[in-house]
Amino acid sequence: MTQLCQRAQSGVLSNPSTHVEYLTFCLKQDSTSITTQQINQQAISDFIAAVSGIEKSINQKDLTAGLNISIGFSANAWSQLFPSYPTPAELHPFKEMSDGDRLFPATAGDVFIMIKSERIDLNFQAAKYIMKSFSELASLVEDIQGYKYLDNRDMIDFVDGTENPNGAERAMAVLVAEDNDLHQGGSYLHVQRYVDKQLDWDKQTTEYQEQVIGRTKMDNVELTDEEKPVWAHNAKSKVEVEGLEVKMLRQNRPYGNAMEHGTMFIGFAATPTIIETSLSQMIHADEYGNYDRLLDFVDAKTGCLYFMPSKTFLEQFDDG
Ligand code: HEM
C-alpha cells in the first residue's frame, strides 16, 4: 500500500485545500491520422513537462502554501493522447442519468486540472500559465475557483466530508491496485458541478434540512436510524456491497458568489462503479418514489469521468 501511495499524484489522497482551481479542457483536434497522433504525442509530452515546471516554480514562491497540481484524462483524451499505452481498464465516458425532472448530464471535458493550495493568487497564476501552455492542443471550457467555506461547509450550510475515509482506508478506497503496472496508484475521478437553489433551500425548516442531509446542521451529528429518512442524502449516497460499506473520497468544495453558487463534487475511487452506483441510488426513485431529496435543492450542470494517472505514468513525459 505504501508503494501505491507513493505513486499517487499529490492532490489525490490529500484533503481539500483552502483554495482550489478546477480547469476543464477540451481537445481541439480529432486525431484520426497518424500525423496528428504524432503531433499529439509531442504536444502532450511538452504539456505534462510544462505543468510539472509550473508547479515547481510557483511552489517556490511560498512553500507554506503547499501548491500542487493534479491531472486527469477522459476516455476520449486517453485514446487521442496516449494511443500507444493501454487504456485504464475501467475508463469510459460518463453516461447521463435521469429520472423524472432530475438530471445528471454528461458534459464535455477531456483534460481536468486541479490546482490546490492555500493561496488563490498562486492558483490563478498556475492556471494562467497552464492555459497558455496547453493552448495549441486544447481549449479551456470551464475554470472554477473553489474555496473553504466556514468549517468545511457547503453553501447549504452543512459540513461536507465528515464520513471520508482516512489513512490506509483512504488509499484502499481511492487507488487502483489491479491494472497494468503503469496504472497502479492512479485513481478514477468523477466531477460534477452543482448549482444551489438557495431560495428554495432557505425556505425549509432546519429540521427538514437536517432530514435531507441526514445529519444535524450546527453540530454535524449523524441522525439515528430512527430519525433518518430513507431519502436522506447520506442514506441514498452510501454504497454497500454484500452488506459492507464501500467508501469513496470526496474533495468537494463550494464555489461562486451571492448571485450563483454551488458545490464542485470531486469524487475519487479505485473503480468508477462505486460513484456511478451512488449517483444511480441518488437519482432513481425506488418503488415508493424515494430518491435523494438533496436533488430538490441542487442542480447538476456538468458531469465527467477522468482517470488521474500515477506519477510513475506522468514522469515518463517529464524530461525536466
Ligand atoms: C451538491 C452536491 C452535494 C452536496 C452539497 C453534498 C453534501 C454532503 C454532506 C453535507 C454530507 C454529510 C457529511 C459527510 O459525510 O460528508 C454528504 C455525505 C455524503 N455524500 Fe454528498 N453531497 C453532494 C453530492 C454528492 C454526490 C454527487 C455523491 C456521490 C456520487 C455524494 C456522496 C456522498 C457520500 C458517500 C456521503 C457519506 C455518506 C455516509 O456514509 O454517511 N455526495 N454529502
Side-chain angles (χ1 to χ4, degrees):
M1 190 50 69
T2 321
Q3 241 186 352
L4 274 190
C5 293
Q6 283 165 354
R7 284 172 160 229
Q9 292 187 57
S10 44
V12 170
L13 286 176
S14 52
N15 286 325
S17 46
T18 304
H19 291 283
V20 54
E21 193 143 347
Y22 308 101
L23 308 177
T24 307
F25 289 93
C26 284
L27 294 177
K28 279 184 176 165
Q29 350 109 303
D30 172 33
S31 69
T32 41
S33 76
I34 291 172
T35 329
T36 319
Q37 282 186 5
Q38 282 166 345
I39 295 167
N40 281 352
Q41 288 298 285
Q42 190 52 52
I44 191 64
S45 295
D46 292 349
F47 176 66
I48 291 172
V51 171
S52 159
I54 291 165
E55 182 184 57
K56 271 181 216 142
S57 52
I58 297 186
N59 209 4
Q60 285 302 321
K61 297 185 181 188
D62 178 2
L63 290 173
T64 64
L67 180 125
N68 61 72
I69 304 174
S70 307
I71 312 183
F73 301 94
S74 70
N76 176 53
W78 196 278
S79 60
Q80 293 199 48
L81 300 175
F82 308 116
S84 47
Y85 292 88
T87 306
E90 297 184 79
L91 184 58
H92 56 259
F94 174 65
K95 280 204 190 84
E96 168 180 309
M97 295 183 191
S98 67
D99 191 15
D101 58 1
R102 299 175 297 285
L103 173 67
F104 288 155
T107 53
D110 287 322
V111 179
F112 186 74
I113 305 262
M114 179 170 70
I115 308 164
K116 287 165 78 172
S117 89
E118 298 306 297
R119 283 181 49 176
I120 190 172
D121 56 339
L122 297 186
N123 290 359
F124 168 73
Q125 198 173 44
K128 193 176 73 170
Y129 287 125
I130 288 171
M131 186 175 90
K132 199 168 164 214
S133 65
F134 213 13
S135 59
E136 270 182 34
L137 200 58
S139 310
L140 184 61
V141 295
E142 188 168 82
D143 179 356
I144 299 290
Q145 294 175 317
Y147 51 95
K148 179 176 172 179
Y149 175 55
L150 304 173
D151 47 342
N152 285 317
R153 287 174 192 260
D154 291 309
M155 284 174 186
I156 54 167
D157 280 315
F158 279 76
V159 176
D160 193 352
T162 314
E163 291 294 336
N164 269 338
N166 288 305
E169 196 194 359
R170 177 177 294 192
M172 265 172 54
V174 163
L175 300 179
V176 171
E178 285 169 26
D179 197 337
N180 184 288
D181 183 57
L182 273 179
H183 297 331
Q184 293 175 14
S187 185
Y188 291 92
L189 169 64
H190 274 91
V191 177
Q192 285 184 309
R193 183 171 62 82
Y194 285 87
V195 173
D196 295 343
K197 299 181 191 172
Q198 191 73 49
L199 294 178
D200 293 346
W201 180 247
D202 289 345
K203 282 186 204 142
Q204 311 305 314
T205 60
T206 299
E207 191 189 16
Y208 184 71
Q209 291 180 345
E210 291 180 336
Q211 288 185 315
V212 169
I213 296 298
R215 305 186 76 94
T216 61
K217 191 170 182 178
M218 187 161 151
D219 294 329
N220 184 27
V221 176
E222 186 172 4
L223 302 188
T224 62
D225 288 348
E226 290 71 41
E227 293 165 334
K228 193 193 294 182
V230 290
W231 41 259
H233 174 58
N234 65 351
K236 282 291 180 189
S237 61
K238 189 180 281 194
V239 177
E240 289 186 347
V241 176
E242 293 168 4
L244 289 178
E245 187 180 351
V246 188
K247 295 256 186 185
M248 63 182 81
L249 171 65
R250 292 164 289 121
Q251 294 195 20
N252 300 358
R253 272 292 181 233
Y255 71 92
N257 52 44
M259 287 176 76
E260 183 173 283
H261 53 259
T263 301
M264 283 295 282
F265 171 79
I266 301 291
F268 290 94
T271 159
T273 312
I274 301 305
I275 295 180
E276 281 160 0
T277 304
S278 187
L279 290 170
S280 172
Q281 292 175 178
M282 287 168 65
I283 201 167
H284 293 118
D286 65 17
E287 53 187 319
Y288 305 104
N290 294 316
Y291 55 88
D292 186 333
R293 293 272 181 97
L294 176 59
L295 300 181
D296 291 343
F297 303 102
V298 295
D299 259 341
K301 297 292 183 191
T302 65
C304 284
L305 171 67
Y306 302 96
F307 183 70
M308 311 292 278
S310 65
K311 275 195 294 207
T312 324
F313 180 84
L314 293 175
E315 276 162 10
Q316 306 173 97
F317 301 92
D318 177 10
D319 50 15

